[in-house]
Structures are given as structure tokens and as C-alpha cells.
Amino acid sequence: MSREILISANTDETRVAVVENGSVVEFYVEKPNSQKTAGNVYLGKVINVLPGMQAAFVDIGQEKNAFLYVDDAFLPGENGGRKKGRTSIKEIVKSGQSVVVQVTKEAIGTKGARVTRHITFPGRYLVLMPTVNYIGVSRRIADEQERQRLRKIAKEIKPSNMGLIIRTVAEGKTREEIERDLTFVLRLWEKVQQKSKQQTAPSLLHRDFGLVMRIVRDELNQETTRVLVDDSQTYAKILDLLNSVSPEMKDRVIYYRDREIPLFSLYGVEAAIEQALSRQVWLKSGGYIVIDKTEALTVIDVNTGKFVGSKNLSDTVFRTNMEACEEIVRQLRLRDIGGIIVIDFIDMDNPEHRARVLEELEKHLKKDHTKTVVVGLTGLGLVEMTRKKVRDSLDAMLTRTCPYCGGKGAVLSEETMAARVRREIRSILRNSHSEAVLVEVNPSVASYLIGPGGANLKQLEKETGRSIFIRGSEELHIEDMNVKALGTKEEIAAKAIPVKIGDVLRLEVEEPHAQNPKDGIARVEGYVIDIKDAGSRVGETVHVKITSCLRTFAKGIIVNSQDCQTGSQVSD
């Protein structure tokens, strides 16, 4: 398998993409002002203890207090030898107490960070756990003889009453290399202990590596074909780090010098990110998946789309589902979707097909470093699974909630908005003695309010007994409306109709007339000008003489530029 890490760094952001067999499967971004906290160690202050939740809230100096669950607060050797699971949170920590905690899950949405007192310090080849007495070897190391060798080394070098986990990249490494890595992380723990005695809560005791260094530490392994870096300073920092921890990996790091074709464009990363922000993702066969996120869970729907197969319906459905497995896992990793996930594969009558689809899904999930659990098929044929949520998803990092639709993904139709504006106009005029009102709305809504030949507007005026002027404005969102003025009919007419008969205006023909394509449409302050025989001149700027003025639009004809002397000139 080809596995490449792409690192693009500049002053405003650093981006990293992991590409496997030509497909972008993971993406990370770090901005200079980003508040990344996962892995950081703090001296926190317990604010309140909640026995009913078996948890405490801890002030670590962030906007929201961190959440400390009882199992994460319990340390062996404390609390008079009581066992984990049998001890109340109020027996472990007290309100006002200072505690050393590490962020395991960053603050997401309305929830604060999750923290633990079980500190871990990841190195290149091992993870130090100062608070527990334990030895473990990565499950990804399959060779049993190598596992035993590494376990023996861990036992020999492990500090008393501390824990070690040997990482995958330690496979084949010597005791000296692993021990050197242990010395490095032990120094970090000693610094944390010293600072915790000198500082007052809340305060930061240890900041985890930045994005690039974490990627090199955690992602650069024997499976990685090469690392491409487009920034010379970042390239030099990576080599310096590898020089001390993994010199043999230095030849896999390459400085990308081409300035004509950006690194991410060359590998299609920009297009992959764009796709990852979309709701629908197409499969190569012509099928597609739809990904919808809610507060509680993420739902993924699989559809055959354009794929019609070549044998029978059962085979078409099976092949689409099998292909969807790989793409679903890729999207989960790329979008970094966590929490509960429900997959609605296309219904399969064949039990063997259902079993094989589950196997295919789990096969691809093995490539995912984030912990996932496939629960299985529900009675409705839905696949339930969970994926550990550690940080914000891709869309949460790169997008924000739409200020118009509020995250619904939909806005009111023009017809519905027109009805709402009519209700608002009725309400305004009921509470006013003004003869007329001028209302400004989006042009598409204005057309519904006015109606064919002004029929809808005439009906509303008949109902209210007032004069109503409607003006369209491209600057207004479809759900916006502005009451521009109230007053006498003459006053409002003067404001609503910005032109008069005889004016010669310099206007751009914006579009053909909807009912009479031979004519063209221009606008002055949202007021429509119907230009005779200008339908074929869309995009051109012409001189127009106003021949008649009505409440909702004016009519005009194209004249020669020398005729501009006969009236005022208006640039549009």
C-alpha cells in the first residue's frame, strides 16, 4: 500500500493530508490562533463535585470548565486502598482542590473538554503512563516473538510504579533506541511535577507538540512511503526531530520545491476537502452515499444512483454496498466523524451478502487509528457503529452555521416569504394612519407580491385600503424585508419610483423579460425598467429614455447617446 503524508505550511495555517493509494483519507489543519488542547497537561482547580453524576467540573483556564469522570479521577494507591468502581467521586476530589489533569477530548460545541488524572506522555517508540503500573505492546505488532522481545525490554527499563506501552513504530528497534525515547518523556514528566508545585491553579503545565511534530511522532512509520513538505523551515524542523529519534526515516522526508503547482493541488487534496464538505459523495460505479449529521448521531445512506449493474438486482445492490464500504470509511476518517453512526445500506435479501458487507466494512475500519466499534445489524437492517470523538469534525473546523437558515440547510420559498410579507404589511397598516407604505424585498419575492399584471398587489391594496409600493433589491436575502417608508401616497410614490417620464438613463440590460423575451430588464435602485426590444442585448450598457412610469415598473426605449442631452443621465 502506498501511504504518503503531505505537509503544507505557511504563515496563516498549517495543513496536513494523509494519502493512501492515491486517495485522501485524513486531513488536519492548525491555525496560529487555534486553541488545541488535547494532550495538554494542566494544574486545574475543582469547582464543584456532583455525586449524582459521579463527576467533577474542573477549571483549567479555558472558557468552559472541564469534565472529570470518577473513573478518570481515581488513582491506584489513593483513597485508602479502595477499588476502582466502588469509590464515590466525593471521596476522590474535593471542591477547591488542585489536581493535575490531562485533556483527552477537546471542548466540542457546548461541551467543555474532558480530562483525566491518568497522565500519558507519547514518545516516538513508547507511551509513558506515570500514574499506573502496567506494560503493554501495540496490537498492530503481529509477530509474537517480536512482541515478547519488546515486552522484555519494557520490563527491564520501566521505572518503578509506572506504566509503558510499546508503540507500533518500535518494531525492530534496539533497547538503546527505546530507552533513549523513555529518557525524553521522563524529563517531560519531571518538568510537569516541578511546575505543579510552583504554580497556582488554573495553569498550563505542559503543551503537547504542534500539528506537524505530532504527525511526525504518531503517523510516520514503516508503512509511510514518503513525507512531502512544501516549507523549508518546517522541513528543517522535521529533520532535526528525526535526527534525534529516528534517523533512518530522514530519507523519506522530501522538500517539495515546485511553486507553479501547489502540493495539495497536485494530489487533489483541495477537491477532496470540497467533497468532504458536501452532503453527497459519488461512487465510481455511479452509486452514491449521503451523509447527514444531527446532534445525536450521523446517518449515512447508500443508493444505487446511476449504477444499473449487469446481472440482476441482487448483484447490483451487493456490489454497490461493497463499494460503499471503502468510501464510507474514507469519509469517516477524512471528515473525522465521531459518536454514534448509523449506516443504511441498500436492503439485501441474501444473508451471505449481508455478512460479507459487514466483513468488508470492518476490513477497511482496521486502517482507522481512531477506535471504532461495529455493533451489528438492527432489526431494520441498519448497521450501528461508534467512533471515538476526540476533536472537532472537519466541517466544524472549516465552516460555521449559516446565519440565514440557522443550520437547517433550507430557506423559505419565495411564495411562503411573500405570504409572510403580506401578513407583516397588514399588521403595519393596522397600526398606522399612513396612506402608503414602501416595502423592499428580494426581487424573486417581489414578483410573487406583485403578481401577474400587478393582480396580487391590487388585491392587497383593496383589502387594506392603502397604497402599497414594492421594490426589489438584490442585496436582500430571500428571507429579509425592509419597510423603507410610511407616509402620504405622493411622498411614498416619489421614493418608490426613482425615475420620471422623459429621463434618459445609462443602464445595463440584466436579463430578458420573463413574459416577453424580446424586451430586456434593467433596474434602478431595485425599480424595474422594461426596455423595449432589448432582450438580445443582455450584458450591454445602453441609453434608455423613460416613456411611462407605473407603480412597480417603468417602460423605456433605447435611444442614441446624443439624445442624452434631453434628460438627466443616471449611471447604473
Side-chain angles (χ1 to χ4, degrees), residues 393-466:
S393 60
L394 181 67
D395 59 348
M397 288 192 296
L398 302 184
T399 65
R400 67 183 181 93
T401 302
C402 172
Y404 297 109
C405 73
K408 299 192 307 289
V411 294
L412 295 176
S413 68
E414 292 85 349
E415 191 173 8
T416 302
M417 188 60 198
R420 176 180 286 187
V421 174
R422 288 191 200 100
R423 291 194 297 271
E424 187 66 24
I425 290 173
R426 291 187 190 104
S427 176
I428 290 169
L429 294 179
R430 273 197 302 269
N431 297 291
S432 172
H433 298 292
S434 300
E435 292 180 354
V437 62
L438 170 60
V439 177
E440 193 174 63
V441 294
N442 184 277
S444 60
V445 177
S447 65
Y448 274 91
L449 286 168
I450 296 167
N456 294 347
L457 187 58
K458 290 175 185 176
Q459 177 62 35
L460 187 59
E461 287 183 326
K462 182 179 179 181
E463 179 186 332
T464 60
R466 316 287 179 89

Side-chain angles (χ1 to χ4, degrees), residues 3-42:
R3 185 174 188 271
E4 298 171 287
I5 299 174
L6 315 179
I7 300 175
S8 178
N10 51 52
T11 54
D12 56 349
E13 64 178 2
T14 299
R15 301 186 299 167
V16 176
V18 178
V19 180
E20 292 178 358
N21 295 329
S23 295
V24 183
V25 295
E26 292 176 20
F27 176 77
Y28 307 89
V29 61
E30 183 179 72
K31 299 181 185 299
N33 59 351
S34 62
Q35 296 293 317
K36 187 267 175 190
T37 59
N40 289 358
V41 180
Y42 295 88

